[in-house]
Amino acid sequence: MDDEPSARLLIARVLQRAGYDVTPAASAEEAIEMLEKGRRFDLLITDKNLPRINGLELIRKARATIADLPVVLITAAPDAAAISGERLEAYLAKPFKNLNALEEAVHTAFEANKVHLARQEMQRTLNDLVSQLQARNKTS
Amino acid sequence: MAGLAMRLSIRSQIVLLVSSVLLVAMGIYLALATQLFTSDKLEALSESNAQLAGTLAEEVRGSVHATVDKLLYFGAEMAELSREPSAGNPHRPATALFANDPDILGVEIWEKEGPSYRRLFQEGCTEHLEPLRVPPELLEQARGKVPMNADLVKQSGGVLLQNASLPPFLPLLRLSAISQDGNRVVVADMKPSRLVPAFNRAFQRAETYLVDGQGMVLVHQDDARVLAHESRSQWGAVRQALQAPGSEGQHEFEVPGGTRLGAWAKVRPGKMAVIVELPKAETTRSAWELVQKSVAFAMAVLVVALVLSVFFARRVSDPLLALQEKMESVSRGDFGVEVEVSSGNELGALAAAFNRMSRELGARERALLEAHQQLIQSEKLSALGEMSAGLAHEVKNPMVGICGFSELGAHVDTLEEAHEYFALINADAQRANEILQNLLAFARPEQVALSSLDVNETVHGAVQLFAHQVQLGGVKLVTSYADGLPMIMGSANQLRQVLINLAMNGAHAMSGSQEKVLTVSTQLAPEGRVQILVKDTGHGMSEETQRKLFRPFFTTKPKGQGTGLGLSVSKTIIQQHRGEISVKSMLGQGTTFTVVLPPTPPSARPKAGGVAPAA
């Protein structure tokens, strides 16, 4: 998602060449509409500074539909964005250092998401074990 | 009345003051002079009248006495001849008498016979009568009218002068003298001509005459009075002269013509009196003449004074008017003008002081302008700082395209794809360039020169600069440009600065609002002017804030976020454009700033087609 036509087109082209299926959206509203219509995505790339609904807001809304959606945030100041409390898998500064940086960011996001999911899984297993242990303690 | 004094110029006030002082002084002087003059004149006239009366009485007495002596001698001689007829020619003494005195026209001698008198002798002098065209019969007729009366002669002291005039042309006096023994009366008919010249000596307007014991006029400057046998017995001065015991005196009396001043002197023997009288008005006549001449003189002086005062007042008021004119031009803001210092007096000092003040004002104005220019520049830099984040973003966006597509171009599979990327790169490069141009134009140090501008073009340029920054805050930007607006005189940079300022303020005011719409529009205003409206839907302003809005260093923003100079600088800029900036606001409803600018005057308008309005 980027409101800048040329940036949007560039991101789409680069990622399509890398073999991804890319759906560009011209505004946060358009992206939200697609999500609400039930379309599913594996990754969200969004600019932070957008008119009306900003990037962080869009991330929150998207995760309301797809809980573990990995995100690449395009921003000049990652620190400020991090404060928002939203989990962010990767950052990207404009203008991009090179096109590889874009692909790398996407790759990083997927990897980070895998780590995130794995940690979640492990957390769940741990929680199960803890609850089983607690149940056993009660019966004995 | 105070209003009147205010309305009159200083010049008129001076003239009025001088004239009234002059008139009052003249009036007082005249009153005093008239009084003094009149009393002095009265005294002088009375005295001269009395002197004249005395002198005339003496002359009359002398003249009558001399004639009486001659007549009595003649009577004695004739009596001797009549007693002794052989002694000589009986006509010889008469002839001698006539030869001796040209005024004697005829003579009679009466001798006492018992209780009455008999005429012994009578003769008329043909030599004296002929030039007067008086026949002897006429003389006889006159004698019949005033017959000899020895008792009367005795009563009046032996000498009697009577008026025996024959109207309408012969003034005649009859002088009767009685001898010492009382037996002989000699009567002479005389012309009064010897006495008249003396009476003519009197002061021009004085009336001088001789009356007998009954108040009949005997001698007068005017023969007609004598011929008419006029009686003055009822005149105060005559009555007093005939009744008073003294020999001379003065008397003021009333006659139908007015008050007269009279002086009298008795003539003895003969019970006669000389009267000198003149209208009392004569004493005031000179005073009146003085008044008339003084008034004429005062008028002349006044006229000359007026002319001179107008001349001198102009010398005072003309420099003052020139000074006033210059002061007005200073008050219009034309500092540094000077007046000519032409004289060394107070006016010159005033002009010099004015010049000093004007020079100082000019210097201060220049210093102020300089300071203001610096202020505008610093305010601009502050605005620039505020926008820098947005501008960086603005420039970064096309850079994404340029960098990205140029890199992507290295991996193209088809020429079409390469062409597409070049076009995209070009479009982004153009955009970046445009942003930089706008930024440069804004940041460039001010050139104050105003030029003919298209309002819509100028406004659009400003909108491009702040659009992104404003939209980042979630504000919907609406623009509406009216067609066919006249060109305005202005500085595009300065106007851009004002608009950016207003837009940023508007965006700031809407940061907490539900609805965020910033409307920038241009319209035709009355009198051919153009107005630019910047309207927000923000929190609005209290009246207090609206009042203070344009004051320097007034800000509602938190510390460190605003200089408080934006609107004051904006106002100054608009005033330099001879325009107006105003604000309309309602708490909770938003604010509208209106900038009204005058159209380019016809003289400064470029020729048709010179500058095409931007689309």
Side-chain angles (χ1 to χ4, degrees):
Chain A
M1 208 323 289
D2 199 313
D3 63 326
E4 282 294 318
S6 65
R8 194 163 65 234
L9 183 63
L10 182 71
I11 294 166
R13 284 288 167 86
V14 170
L15 294 182
Q16 277 163 355
R17 284 175 70 98
Y20 296 101
D21 181 12
V22 183
T23 309
S27 67
E29 287 89 337
E30 198 185 328
I32 291 166
E33 203 187 319
M34 285 191 272
L35 287 166
E36 281 171 352
K37 279 184 177 164
R39 289 198 54 177
R40 287 296 167 263
F41 299 98
D42 299 318
L43 181 77
L44 172 65
I45 302 176
T46 181
D47 198 59
K48 179 171 163 277
N49 291 329
L50 296 172
R52 299 177 294 277
I53 300 170
N54 72 24
L56 294 172
E57 187 91 23
L58 175 62
I59 295 168
R60 253 195 304 283
K61 294 206 166 165
R63 282 188 173 151
T65 318
I66 308 167
D68 298 316
L69 185 68
V71 169
V72 177
L73 186 68
I74 304 171
T75 175
D79 296 348
I83 295 167
S84 71
E86 209 58 49
R87 177 169 46 84
L88 300 168
E89 277 72 16
Y91 301 107
L92 203 54
K94 265 187 187 175
F96 313 130
K97 226 182 286 167
N98 50 45
L99 297 180
N100 262 346
L102 181 58
E103 283 179 57
E104 269 169 27
V106 171
H107 186 71
T108 308
F110 279 126
E111 290 304 313
N113 198 40
K114 274 178 200 162
V115 172
H116 165 69
L117 289 173
R119 201 172 61 195
Q120 263 190 339
E121 188 54 43
M122 282 166 76
Q123 188 74 45
R124 255 199 308 276
T125 313
L126 189 64
N127 284 354
D128 281 353
L129 286 172
V130 168
S131 54
Q132 277 171 25
L133 210 63
Q134 280 174 340
R136 199 170 294 171
N137 282 347
K138 264 184 199 166
T139 53
S140 61
Chain B
M1 283 293 107
L4 181 70
M6 295 294 287
R7 279 201 301 279
L8 285 175
S9 66
I10 293 177
R11 186 197 298 179
S12 317
Q13 287 183 39
I14 291 173
V15 169
L16 268 180
L17 191 70
V18 168
S19 324
S20 41
V21 166
L22 205 65
L23 282 177
V24 167
M26 189 71 87
I28 293 171
Y29 159 75
L30 265 184
L32 287 173
T34 307
Q35 200 182 15
L36 207 67
F37 207 79
T38 307
S39 68
D40 210 38
K41 183 89 183 214
L42 183 66
E43 208 172 302
L45 279 177
S46 303
E47 199 172 314
S48 75
N49 278 359
Q51 266 182 7
L52 182 61
T55 310
L56 283 175
E58 195 53 40
E59 266 181 46
V60 169
R61 195 196 63 76
S63 175
V64 167
H65 196 74
T67 311
V68 164
D69 279 353
K70 267 189 269 185
L71 290 179
L72 288 178
Y73 176 76
F74 165 73
E77 209 174 1
M78 286 302 287
E80 197 124 335
L81 272 175
S82 66
R83 270 194 300 273
E84 291 175 54
S86 59
N89 183 358
H91 292 284
R92 192 189 47 82
T95 310
L97 181 70
F98 293 144
N100 177 265
D101 195 334
D103 285 346
I104 297 176
L105 303 179
V107 70
E108 291 169 274
I109 297 172
W110 297 69
E111 286 279 355
K112 193 169 181 179
E113 272 190 2
S116 65
Y117 286 78
R118 180 181 66 86
R119 187 157 78 175
L120 186 72
F121 174 83
Q122 83 82 21
E123 188 162 328
C125 174
T126 42
E127 284 88 356
H128 291 169
L129 286 171
E130 228 155 65
L132 298 172
R133 295 175 193 280
V134 177
E137 305 84 61
L138 206 62
L139 192 64
E140 195 55 35
Q141 192 186 330
R143 285 171 181 159
K145 274 193 181 169
V146 186
M148 198 284 292
N149 187 336
D151 291 339
L152 266 180
V153 178
K154 278 181 207 155
Q155 275 169 29
S156 62
V159 175
L160 178 66
L161 197 62
Q162 287 171 294
N163 184 353
S165 298
L166 286 171
F169 63 92
L170 185 64
L172 199 63
L173 289 178
R174 167 158 289 201
L175 178 63
S176 310
I178 195 162
S179 59
Q180 254 174 341
D181 54 13
N183 291 332
R184 193 183 307 121
V185 177
V186 183
V187 182
D189 296 299
M190 307 169 64
K191 289 192 289 182
S193 52
R194 191 182 308 164
L195 292 171
V196 170
F199 281 70
N200 272 337
R201 280 211 310 266
F203 180 69
Q204 214 177 4
R205 294 205 167 216
E207 202 181 348
T208 315
Y209 53 95
L210 182 72
V211 291
D212 64 12
Q214 277 73 48
M216 299 297 286
V217 175
L218 292 173
V219 180
H220 196 286
Q221 298 141 296
D222 183 2
D223 281 348
R225 311 239 177 220
V226 182
L227 286 167
H229 295 266
E230 199 173 291
S231 169
R232 286 280 167 97
S233 59
Q234 295 309 309
W235 289 45
V238 175
R239 258 211 317 269
Q240 205 184 46
L242 298 179
Q243 288 163 9
S247 65
E248 58 182 41
Q250 291 178 22
H251 185 58
E252 196 177 313
F253 61 100
E254 296 288 332
V255 295
T259 309
R260 295 177 82 83
L261 292 172
W264 52 268
K266 287 183 183 171
V267 181
R268 287 177 217 273
K271 272 197 174 176
M272 292 177 293
V274 170
I275 312 289
V276 179
E277 59 168 66
L278 83 170
K280 196 182 181 185
E282 197 60 25
T283 59
T284 53
R285 191 175 65 96
S286 313
W288 179 236
E289 252 172 46
L290 175 74
V291 169
Q292 280 177 324
K293 283 180 181 164
S294 299
V295 167
F297 176 70
M299 288 300 156
V301 166
L302 210 60
V303 167
V304 170
L306 277 173
V307 169
L308 283 180
S309 68
V310 164
F311 174 69
F312 279 106
R314 192 158 283 168
R315 280 187 58 184
V316 172
S317 63
D318 279 358
L320 280 178
L321 279 178
L323 199 59
Q324 186 186 349
E325 219 166 84
K326 299 285 183 181
M327 277 176 170
E328 273 163 10
S329 72
V330 166
S331 74
R332 280 194 301 271
D334 187 8
F335 299 117
V337 294
E338 299 198 8
V339 282
E340 233 174 278
V341 182
S342 53
S343 56
N345 57 17
E346 294 92 328
L347 281 174
L350 189 60
F354 170 78
N355 287 345
R356 265 200 309 283
M357 183 196 78
S358 181
R359 273 198 295 278
E360 202 162 304
L361 274 176
R364 284 188 190 186
E365 170 78 355
R366 278 192 293 282
L368 198 64
L369 266 178
E370 214 168 281
H372 207 98
Q373 221 55 54
Q374 284 171 359
L375 200 61
I376 289 176
Q377 187 64 20
S378 72
E379 179 60 22
K380 193 158 70 178
L381 291 176
S382 142
L384 202 60
E386 257 177 62
M387 288 195 311
S388 59
L391 280 163
H393 187 95
E394 281 285 289
V395 179
K396 260 192 245 166
N397 275 326
M399 291 315 286
V400 170
I402 293 165
C403 296
F405 287 118
S406 57
E407 198 180 337
L408 204 56
H411 310 289
V412 289
D413 303 322
T414 63
L415 201 57
E416 283 78 33
E417 204 182 346
H419 283 165
E420 190 195 356
Y421 292 157
F422 276 125
L424 286 166
I425 289 166
N426 186 258
D428 275 342
Q430 294 285 353
R431 222 177 98 203
N433 191 39
E434 193 179 328
I435 290 162
L436 288 173
Q437 288 304 326
N438 275 339
L439 183 64
L440 278 175
F442 178 66
R444 195 177 296 140
E446 198 48 60
Q447 283 154 6
V448 204
L450 305 183
S451 56
S452 199
L453 296 176
D454 179 81
V455 185
N456 289 343
E457 201 177 344
T458 310
V459 173
H460 185 66
V463 168
Q464 279 187 321
L465 281 174
F466 63 68
H468 191 82
Q469 176 79 359
V470 164
Q471 282 164 345
L472 278 184
V475 172
K476 189 180 176 203
L477 183 63
V478 179
T479 55
S480 143
Y481 304 129
D483 288 329
L485 294 178
M487 303 289 277
I488 56 154
M489 282 303 282
S491 152
N493 281 339
Q494 288 198 335
L495 291 178
R496 262 202 291 269
Q497 185 180 346
V498 171
L499 290 171
I500 288 169
N501 206 296
L502 296 180
M504 289 305 180
N505 281 349
H508 195 265
M510 291 188 287
S511 57
S513 303
Q514 282 288 334
E515 194 194 4
K516 299 181 180 183
V517 183
L518 185 71
T519 311
V520 180
S521 54
T522 57
Q523 290 172 1
L524 192 66
E527 296 164 31
R529 298 189 295 176
V530 176
Q531 60 183 16
I532 306 168
L533 292 108
V534 179
K535 183 182 169 201
D536 68 55
T537 55
H539 50 58
M541 288 180 277
S542 67
E543 281 183 23
E544 169 93 5
T545 305
Q546 288 179 49
R547 215 170 33 248
K548 296 180 179 169
L549 204 58
F550 294 103
R551 290 188 197 166
F553 306 110
F554 175 79
T555 179
T556 57
K557 291 176 188 167
K559 255 205 172 124
Q561 288 201 20
T563 57
L565 288 172
L567 282 174
S568 86
V569 169
S570 296
K571 184 169 189 177
T572 313
I573 290 172
I574 296 306
Q575 281 170 344
Q576 282 171 350
H577 282 73
R578 297 178 200 287
E580 287 158 23
I581 181 166
S582 58
V583 64
K584 221 184 243 177
S585 183
M586 286 268 281
L587 271 176
Q589 304 223 341
T591 303
T592 304
F593 280 94
T594 307
V595 173
V596 183
L597 295 166
T600 305
S603 57
R605 215 166 272 167
K607 290 198 174 67
V611 176

